[in-house]
Every structure is written in C-alpha cells, then in structure tokens.
Amino acid sequence: MAWALFSGRALLARRSERRLDTERELRAALQNRLLLLLFAARRCPRCRGFEPRLRRFWSRLTDPAHVERPEQLGLVYVGRDGCEQEHREYLRDMPRAWMALPYGDELGRELERRFGVSELPAVVVLAPSGAVLVRDAVPEIRDLGPACFHNWRQAAELLDRNFQERQEPAGSAPRSLTGLLRRRKYRPERRRGHQEEEEEEEEEGQPG
C-alpha cells in the first residue's frame, strides 16, 4: 500500500501545524488515494518554474471551487532543501492539504533511490496499492494539466481489476504502468473504418 511507505515515520502538514506519526493518522490521510511524491527544492530554479503549474493542477482536481467532487489525491513533498530554514519556508507556503517529510529524514534518499529520481523536480505517481503508475509525471502535468489524472486513475483501476503486483528485480527502478494507456490515449489520429468507430463508441458508452 502506498501509505505504508511512511509507516513508522512522521509526515508534517502545512507550517508544521500537525504531525502525522501514527498508523491510524497516515491511513486516514493517504489510504485509497493516488499519491504524488514531489521531489523538489525551494531554491531550485526548475522547481520554482514548475510549481505554479503543479498548484493549478492540484487546485483543479481537489478544490470544491473548481470541482463538485474533489478527487482522491494526496501529495507528499520529499524536499531536497539546502537547510532546515528553506524547508520550513516551503512548508509555510505549500497548500494546506499537502504533507512533507521532515527535514533530514533519510527516507527521502531511500525514496530517491527506490524510484530512480535523478533530477529535480520529479513527481512519482503511485496507485493506492503502491504500484508505480508514472516514474516522473512532470512532463504530463506541465503539458496536459488535469487531463492526465484521469489516465492515471484508469491505470490504477485496471491494475486493481486485472493484475497482481509484480516483483521488480533487486536494485532496479520501478517501471511506469501507464505507458500503454498513454500511447493509446494520446497517439495521433488515424483514418478508421465505420466499423471501428462504432466499436469505439460502444466501448466509451460502457461504465469504467
């Protein structure tokens, strides 16, 4: 389960006003949600350039002012800040529903290695089961906005229905599970026959 990544650890809420450090609190905050792991740093220029897009993405999916039913989405900031003061400043300004690893927690480095993070910013997308949906969603969030979330949700639902979790080779970074869906959903249009169009319309009319 995705929330279990933080079992035995603590997560901080905005401005460190709240500290989640029990299994019950972690489950309540993260269970049954698509989870974004944001690897970034306050003083990183690329991170500062990406952050407004990420905040708009988050708002469009979770803010009742924009959506009737907020999506089940969680975000944990895995900061690579240069000092504790920078980390505190980030927590002070981040959206209220986001959470963060405490400054200096070694789990941050472990997560970087586990998910093959090699540059900042990076956003790893996890299904509620803990399976990796996207190894780095920064390009999708930047270029597609909230539309990519629905692709992730479809992949998570497909995984829950049809697949058992696979063991990755020791030391290898987990692979993305949405590549096939993205290729199908965002590939260039091609000419289709009448029968193909009817079949596609029937598929779209079926409940997900």
Side-chain angles (χ1 to χ4, degrees):
M1 296 297 172
W3 71 266
L5 284 173
F6 305 100
S7 180
R9 304 279 181 162
L11 291 177
L12 303 177
R14 181 183 173 190
R15 299 185 180 179
S16 302
E17 294 170 350
R18 189 161 57 101
R19 185 181 180 94
L20 288 69
D21 55 10
T22 68
E23 181 174 315
R24 181 178 180 179
E25 290 172 323
L26 291 170
R27 280 177 177 269
L30 301 176
Q31 195 170 33
N32 298 323
R33 295 175 183 268
L34 290 184
L35 180 60
L36 310 184
L37 302 180
L38 170 61
F39 296 85
R42 184 173 180 82
R43 293 192 179 277
C44 163
R46 290 194 303 272
C47 300
R48 292 200 303 269
F50 172 66
E51 179 113 355
R53 294 175 183 267
L54 178 61
R55 289 180 182 238
R56 285 196 297 271
F57 170 86
W58 178 269
S59 177
R60 291 291 178 181
L61 292 170
T62 64
D63 190 338
H66 296 298
V67 289
E68 183 175 346
R69 295 180 59 189
E71 298 290 357
Q72 295 298 300
L73 189 62
L75 186 146
V76 175
Y77 173 65
V78 185
R80 305 313 307 154
D81 297 300
C83 66
E84 189 169 4
Q85 177 62 29
E86 292 176 11
H87 191 76
R88 285 199 299 266
E89 290 173 358
Y90 190 92
L91 266 62
R92 181 192 64 204
D93 297 334
M94 74 182 187
R96 184 173 296 277
W98 291 12
M99 289 158 284
L101 273 179
Y103 178 77
D105 193 320
E106 284 302 313
L107 179 60
R109 293 291 187 187
E110 294 175 21
L111 293 175
E112 281 187 0
R113 292 191 292 269
R114 177 169 182 170
F115 298 113
V117 175
S118 58
E119 63 180 15
L120 302 179
V123 177
V124 177
V125 184
L126 302 178
S129 66
V132 178
L133 298 177
V134 188
R135 284 184 56 189
D136 185 7
V138 168
E140 292 184 32
I141 294 171
R142 183 187 61 223
D143 298 337
L144 300 173
C148 63
F149 172 82
H150 304 291
N151 193 41
W152 304 342
R153 186 171 59 187
Q154 287 179 9
E157 292 171 353
L158 184 67
L159 194 69
D160 288 341
R161 287 198 303 266
N162 299 317
F163 295 97
Q164 296 179 348
E165 293 186 23
R166 297 178 179 179
Q167 293 291 328
E168 293 289 341
S172 66
R175 293 171 294 179
S176 167
L177 297 175
T178 55
L180 177 59
L181 278 176
R182 286 201 303 275
R183 287 195 295 272
R184 292 177 59 192
K185 193 166 187 176
Y186 303 120
R187 68 189 176 193
E189 289 292 331
R190 62 180 177 85
R191 296 183 63 85
R192 296 172 296 176
H194 181 66
Q195 182 175 357
E196 284 182 287
E197 293 177 346
E198 289 183 344
E199 291 174 352
E200 181 173 314
E201 290 174 359
E202 291 176 359
E203 290 176 358
E204 291 177 349
Q206 295 175 356

